[in-house]
Every structure is written in structure tokens, then in C-alpha cells.
Amino acid sequence: MRSAEQILREVTTIAVVGASRSRMKTAHSVPLQIQRHGWRIIPVNPFADEIFGVKAYPTLADIPEPVDLVNVFRPSADATQVVKDAIAIGAPAVWLQQDIVSPEGRALAAAAGVDYVEDTCIAVIRAVHAISAPEGPRTP
């Protein structure tokens, strides 16, 4: 399994489940910061058409392309289902934000060979290690 730092250094396209339209929420400010540092963000929110200037999708299954990482901004109680959905679309990594934990989700990810991070803020890891998105094609 890759570490949080390794994952962030290697992924380019991140689906953000629970991305928020509200600029006051971390589910908006954190993915926006990650986008500004070069990663391609695909928001997943059933109540939004667009977030961060990007088309939003109601579910992970609705995204018409592969994603490298599923970043989760949903309550811990919802995390297991999000992990199941991430596995179903073939995502190679799942990252649960700070204060989000799921022992069942962790076990499912391990059984599926999916890299897994929980209770960790992606923006903190990015800042601590001064990481920017890897170079590579970025198609909107």
C-alpha cells in the first residue's frame, strides 16, 4: 500500500465525494486548494451541476472516465458505501478526510488491493511535503 504522500505525488485526477458549493465549508476550500496546485478535481454531489468551475456528477458511477483517487468529505457513517462505490468504479485509492474513519471501509479496500488513507487532510499532506500535481495531461 502506498503512503498518503506517495498517493498524492502519483495521482492526477481526484473525484471528491461530498464536494460542497459553500465556500465556508472545508469540503469546498480543501478541494479548491488541491485544484489550484494542479490536480484535476471532479466534484461528486447530487445537488450541484458545477463546483470549482467543473461539472459535478451525482455519483461516482456517473463519472465517464477513470479517476486515480476518491477523496471523501462525507460522514464516517457514509464512508463504507463510498469505499464500495470507489472499488466498483476501479479507483486505485481512497482517501477519507480528517475525522472520517471506517474500519469496514479500510477492510474492504485492503481486500480489494485499494490504497487507503483515513482521518487525514489531503491539504495538510500537500502542504507538509510541498507537493504539486505530477506533470501529465490534464483534460477537462
Side-chain angles (χ1 to χ4, degrees):
M1 291 290 167
R2 294 179 291 174
S3 69
E5 179 185 359
Q6 286 174 311
I7 292 167
L8 201 50
R9 287 189 185 283
E10 295 173 7
V11 304
T12 57
T13 302
I14 304 171
V16 180
V17 176
S20 178
R21 293 173 288 186
S22 172
R23 295 179 191 277
M24 302 304 291
K25 294 187 175 183
T26 56
H28 181 90
S29 60
V30 168
L32 184 60
Q33 179 193 136
I34 295 302
Q35 183 187 51
R36 288 179 176 161
H37 281 88
W39 285 271
R40 180 155 180 255
I41 299 297
I42 301 175
V44 178
N45 181 323
F47 306 107
D49 294 327
E50 181 180 291
I51 305 174
F52 321 119
V54 178
K55 177 178 174 45
Y57 294 90
T59 70
L60 286 172
D62 293 313
I63 299 173
E65 64 188 271
V67 298
D68 302 317
L69 171 64
V70 174
N71 185 218
V72 183
F73 284 88
R74 296 292 304 143
S76 292
D78 298 344
T80 298
Q81 185 58 54
V82 177
V83 172
K84 289 177 183 177
D85 295 344
I87 292 167
I89 67 162
V94 175
W95 188 308
L96 278 53
Q97 281 296 125
Q98 188 170 341
D99 297 326
I100 305 170
V101 295
S102 173
E104 186 179 354
R106 183 182 325 111
L108 290 168
V114 170
D115 293 319
Y116 185 83
V117 176
E118 68 179 9
D119 192 20
T120 303
C121 181
I122 196 168
V124 170
I125 297 301
R126 191 220 61 75
V128 165
H129 298 286
I131 304 169
S132 291
E135 295 300 319
R138 305 244 192 304
T139 21

